[in-house]
């Protein structure tokens, strides 16, 4: 009987081969279980709410009780005069945030890594990552004070050096909104984001440095041929993940920095969802616009992933 | 550790998590009804939320409030909100779990959007609320105000009757004028001359010619803004003109697309380009607007501006330097009818002071408590603070007359004291007309009435039936409410940025005007005007 059991069920076991294999690693699955439960409850669970985008919201019947409205609310958004402005503004802010904000932590990591003195390294690192812990509300208040056209410290400094024209209002001027947004974001998050690259750099084999030095490489050549290749997988994975959130431009900061003067460039999809959806109680419309935003994020994520896979064989999935 | 014990640990963890989740959901559901709702002393326990002013102190420390809770035989558990209610309420209401009583927390559109969440108070008032009944019989328009399009009454109204007919006054620094040997301006042209002199001279005489701000105001859509100058051009504003709506000859219109608004913006643009208007006029928030006008110590910084009252706007040190300016003519030879914004309804009538949850188990007790607020002498205390030694808001003279006391805290002005010490204007109240003459108002209110007297003649021109538009009184169906909200968001998006852009740049407004009007109209303004006209006609038909 015994030999028969190992040979006969062969056919039937093939279907369960994967499961059987995983059963051998059940400890790993147990470890990941809390995360799976968390994601199921807090990320997938609330997703039933997206049907609100396709329904007429009826308070008395709850999120899932209203009449089906089809794509009415999507059409309403596409036809609204705010469609192009919000889409364009979101893209512009997201584009510059990634273009300028993404390479900075890498540069910083390379700089930190090249500092020999451990004490100086630590001081520099701590200094640059501290701003990350300032809340957005406080940060925007700081910006308002520092950039005030009459009493602002930074504003006065830039004007004294003639770096900006004397009649510029940095917190109102539509042309200044994106630079102020992006530069302050870099200042705030650069140090923090560089940590992961510093960690990646620390794992570079010391023999590679030695080999490079023996081959006569100077500092730049070492960076280019040893350090960058070493952290390239990290860079690509992070870039893909950032692409996934390309259009979820930070609601809080945009909203807080918004005023009548810069509204032409600062009304992004998320602030529009808030203004129409939440403040005016148009929940279905708000959900539809939000869902549209998510769809675009998803498209970007997949595109970036496919591109990375094709060019460098590195990808998320 | 053995495999089994790890498994046991994980399972235990999951169970703990589940039981916690169970607990919290149970906790929530007990918020809804109040089954075991009596205290040992036999009082009815109720939950209430109050949206109060940020200055207002903890309401449980108000003795007059404790007294009426006692009288109505209820015990209230207060939840107090003083910021960002607009953002919080959607989430709270959508959850369906609201407290029994909601003070100053609801609006007409909520009743439409959250149909079924709030109790129709009409029958309860007839049964249990003698004070509110009396208020309705003396002021039937308050019942009209509170009744929704479906004939139901989800929120009780409030009435003061002692507030002035205009929210904003226009102020100019008389000391500066005297220092420069100038007359008080009476036209836009003279105003410009005066502002230029403010800019170039050193009217506050501190030796610094650059620290004067000739003119300062709030963003156009708010109170205390140059939109009041539209009255120079014959445009009758009323009741705050929120979102720009006003009526003229019984037609609902919007000033953002009115030729006269163009004229005003051209004038303001000219002033701004000459550096006569504060550079931060668009970007500053209200607290900065306030603090700038209060100057530093005894040196005034602002020459010409708008505000509620001189003490409030300029502080005790500087208030005597300023005088109220009557409405200006555009040019010396202009023949436009002059108006000042008639805000009598906006100032004295309020809707939705209190609402009751439809799921409350103790509606009778809730109504008993609400009605207690509307007893005229209690209402006085709601507005000005308690009539006792703890609250120190009002003095009972014993002969049927009352005096509003000066602030017990000497560091506060009377206005701030009122907002600190009681529910103030956010409370439910009915100040009976019979009581009006028997109340000796505080120095701030006396001052307000005195300062605003210059506008009385213009305010009297407001015709109830053709150019006063009390937006609070208008009622809309669910569909109309949604359309109005959606359109308004799009319209505001254009108007909000356009006026700021025109003001601060040198673009040719004349050239952009036609395209701007077309885009505002097509963004939904035309549709909104039609919907509003329908409601306004309906309202006019209720006026006698």
């Amino acid at each position: 009987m015994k030999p028969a059991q190992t040979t006969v069920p062969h056919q039937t076991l093939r279907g369960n081969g994967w499961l059987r294999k995983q059963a051998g690693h059940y400890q790993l699955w147990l470890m990941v279980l809390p995360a799976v439960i968390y994601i199921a409850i807090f990320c997938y669970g609330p997703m039933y709410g997206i049907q609100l985008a396709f329904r007429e919201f009826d308070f008395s019947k709850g999120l899932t009780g209203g009449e089906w409205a089809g794509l009415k609310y999507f059409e309403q958004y596409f036809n609204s005069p705010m469609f192009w402005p919000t889409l364009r503004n979101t893209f512009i802010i997201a584009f510059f945030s990634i273009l300028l904000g993404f390479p900075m932590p890498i540069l910083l990591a390379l700089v930190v890594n090249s500092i020999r003195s451990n004490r100086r390294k630590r001081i520099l690192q701590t200094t640059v990552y501290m701003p990350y812990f300032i809340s957005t509300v406080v940060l925007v208040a700081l910006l308002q004070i520092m950039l005030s056209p009459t009493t602002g410290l930074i504003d006065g400094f830039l004007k004294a050096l003639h770096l900006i024209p004397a009649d510029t209002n940095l917190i109102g001027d539509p042309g200044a909104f994106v630079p102020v947004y992006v530069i302050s974001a870099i200042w705030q998050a650069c140090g923090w984001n560089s940590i992961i690259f510093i960690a990646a750099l620390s794992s570079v084999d010391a023999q590679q440095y030695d080999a490079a030095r023996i081959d006569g490489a100077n500092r730049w050549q070492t960076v280019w041929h040893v350090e960058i290749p070493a952290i390239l997988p990290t860079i690509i994975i992070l870039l893909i993940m950032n692409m996934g959130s390309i259009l979820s431009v930070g609601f809080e900061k945009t909203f807080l920095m918004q005023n009548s003067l810069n509204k032409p460039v600062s009304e992004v999809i998320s602030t529009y969802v808030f203004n129409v959806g939440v403040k005016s109680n148009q929940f279905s419309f708000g959900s539809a616009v939000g869902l549209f935003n998510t769809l675009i994020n998803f498209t970007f994520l997949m595109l970036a992933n496919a591109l990375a896979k094709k060019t460098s064989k590195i990808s998320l999935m | 550790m053995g495999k089994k014990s790890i498994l046991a640990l994980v399972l235990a963890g999951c169970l703990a998590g589940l039981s916690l989740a169970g607990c919290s959901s149970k906790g929530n559901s007990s918020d809804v009804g109040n089954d075991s709702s009596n205290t040992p002393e036999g009082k009815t326990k109720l939950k209430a939320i109050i949206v109060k002013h940020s200055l207002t102190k903890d309401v449980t420390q108000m003795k007059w409030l404790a007294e009426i809770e006692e009288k109505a035989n209820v015990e209230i558990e207060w939840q107090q909100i003083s910021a960002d209610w607009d953002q919080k309420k959607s989430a709270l209401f959508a959850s369906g779990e609201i407290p029994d009583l909601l003070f100053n927390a609801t609006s007409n559109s909520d009743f439409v959007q959250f149909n079924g969440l709030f109790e129709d108070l009409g029958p309860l008032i007839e049964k249990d609320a003698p004070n509110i009944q009396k208020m309705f019989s003396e002021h039937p328009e308050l019942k009209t105000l509170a009744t929704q399009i479906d004939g139901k009454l989800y929120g009780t109204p409030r009435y003061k009757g002692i507030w002035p007919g205009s929210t904003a006054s226009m102020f100019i620094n008389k000391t500066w004028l005297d220092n420069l040997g100038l007359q008080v301006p009476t036209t836009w042209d003279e105003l410009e001359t005066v502002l230029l002199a403010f800019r170039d001279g050193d009217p506050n005489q501190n030796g610094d010619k650059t620290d004067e701000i000739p003119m300062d105001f709030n963003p156009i859509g708010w109170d205390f803004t140059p939109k009041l100058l539209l009255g120079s051009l014959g445009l009758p504003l009323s009741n705050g003109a929120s979102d720009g709506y006003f009526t003229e000859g019984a037609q609902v219109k919007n000033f953002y697309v009115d030729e006269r608004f163009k004229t005003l913006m051209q004038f303001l643009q000219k002033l701004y380009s000459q550096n006569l208007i504060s550079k931060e006029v668009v970007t500053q928030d209200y607290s900065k607007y306030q603090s700038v006008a209060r100057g530093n110590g005894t040196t005034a910084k602002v020459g010409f501006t708008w505000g509620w009252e001189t003490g409030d706007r300029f502080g005790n040190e500087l208030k005597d330097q300023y005088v109220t300016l009557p409405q200006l003519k555009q040019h010396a030879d202009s023949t436009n009818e002059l108006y000042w914004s008639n805000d009598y309804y906006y100032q004295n009538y309020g809707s939705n002071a209190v609402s009751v949850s439809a799921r409350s188990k103790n509606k009778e007790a809730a109504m008993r408590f609400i009605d207690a607020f509307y007893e005229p002498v209690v209402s006085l205390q709601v507005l000005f603070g308690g009539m006792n030694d703890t609250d120190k808001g009002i003095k009972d003279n014993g002969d049927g007359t009352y005096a509003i006391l000066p602030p017990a805290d000497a560091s506060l002005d009377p206005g701030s004291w009122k907002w600190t010490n009681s529910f103030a204007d956010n409370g439910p109240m009915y100040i009976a007309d019979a009581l009006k003459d028997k109340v000796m108002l505080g120095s701030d209110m006396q001052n307000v009435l005195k300062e605003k007297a210059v506008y009385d003649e213009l305010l009297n021109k407001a015709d109830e039936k053709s150019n006063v538009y009390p937006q609070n009184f208008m009622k809309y169906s669910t569909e109309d409410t949604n359309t109005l909200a959606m359109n308004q968001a799009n319209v505001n998006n254009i108007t909000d940025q356009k006026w700021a852009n025109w003001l601060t740049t040198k673009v040719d407004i004349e050239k952009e005007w036609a395209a701007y009007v077309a885009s505002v109209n097509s963004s939904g303004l035309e549709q909104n005007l039609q919907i509003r006209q329908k409601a306004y006609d309906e309202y006019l038909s209720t006026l006698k």
Side-chain angles (χ1 to χ4, degrees), chain A residues 26-27 30 33-34 37 57-60 73 76 80-82 144 148-151 167 169 171-174 255 259-261 263-265 267 272 274-283 285, chain B residues 3 6-7 10 14 86-87 89-90 93-96 109-110 113-117 219 272 279-280 282-283 288 481-483 485-486 489-490 492-494 496-501 504 522-523:
Chain A
Y26 77 95
Q27 299 97 328
L30 270 182
L33 188 69
I37 293 177
F57 176 63
D58 181 337
F59 164 74
S60 55
Y73 289 105
Q76 204 166 3
S80 102
M82 289 312 295
Q144 304 269 17
S148 153
T150 48
T151 53
D167 58 348
N169 180 353
I171 45 178
D173 196 336
F255 185 71
N259 56 47
S260 301
L261 266 179
K263 225 174 174 184
V265 294
E267 184 82 332
Y272 184 63
F274 177 74
N275 283 330
V276 179
V278 180
K279 270 174 135 181
S280 317
N281 290 335
Q282 304 299 308
F283 297 112
F285 182 77
Chain B
K3 284 172 194 165
I6 293 179
L7 184 65
V10 170
C14 292
D86 269 0
Q87 296 157 42
K89 84 169 171 189
S90 291
F93 288 179
S95 79
S109 57
D110 297 333
Q113 191 74 45
F114 301 101
N115 186 16
L117 190 59
Y272 191 91
K279 286 281 172 241
E280 300 193 56
V282 185
T283 49
K288 175 130 197 211
T481 303
N482 287 342
T483 313
M486 188 80 83
N490 292 334
N492 287 352
N493 237 308
I494 305 176
D496 220 31
Q497 42 189 271
K498 210 63 194 178
W499 78 265
N501 177 264
T504 55
S522 65
S523 301

Side-chain angles (χ1 to χ4, degrees), chain B residues 1 38-39 93 130 132 245 298 379 469 494 513 531:
Chain B
M1 215 187 279
N38 289 325
T39 62
F93 288 179
I132 299 180
Y245 294 99
T298 50
S379 291
Y469 185 43
I494 305 176
W513 180 257
I531 294 173

Side-chain angles (χ1 to χ4, degrees), chain A residues 19-163:
Chain A
L19 266 184
R20 174 153 287 205
K21 205 168 145 201
Q22 299 308 318
H25 311 301
Y26 77 95
Q27 299 97 328
L28 295 177
W29 284 107
L30 270 182
M31 274 169 76
V32 92
L33 188 69
V36 171
I37 293 177
Y38 172 85
I39 288 175
I41 294 178
F42 292 103
C43 299
Y44 284 95
M47 284 216 298
Y48 76 93
I50 58 176
Q51 46 177 314
L52 197 56
F54 306 96
R55 287 180 187 273
E56 302 282 358
F57 176 63
D58 181 337
F59 164 74
S60 55
K61 291 179 189 141
L63 285 187
T64 53
E67 293 281 308
W68 286 105
L71 294 176
K72 174 181 158 194
Y73 289 105
F74 290 91
E75 277 164 22
Q76 204 166 3
Y77 177 52
F78 299 149
N79 294 329
S80 102
M82 289 312 295
F83 175 62
W84 281 113
T86 50
L87 196 64
R88 188 194 61 219
N89 294 340
T90 313
F91 259 110
I92 290 176
I93 295 174
F95 177 73
F96 282 102
S97 296
I98 287 202
L99 187 74
L100 301 172
F102 189 73
M104 292 307 279
I106 301 172
L107 289 178
L108 186 68
L110 292 171
V111 169
V112 169
N113 193 51
S114 67
I115 295 175
R116 299 261 158 72
S117 152
N118 260 335
R119 216 176 123 252
R120 280 185 208 157
K121 202 185 214 170
R122 246 180 283 135
I123 292 174
L124 175 69
Q125 238 185 304
T126 314
T127 322
V128 294
Y129 84 59
M130 281 315 243
Y132 182 77
F133 296 101
I134 300 175
S135 85
T136 315
V137 179
V138 175
L139 176 81
V140 174
L142 272 175
L143 286 177
Q144 304 269 17
I145 296 169
M146 298 287 213
L147 302 179
S148 153
T150 48
T151 53
L153 188 70
I154 297 179
D155 184 84
F157 179 73
L158 293 174
K159 280 175 185 167
L161 292 178
H162 296 284
L163 289 172

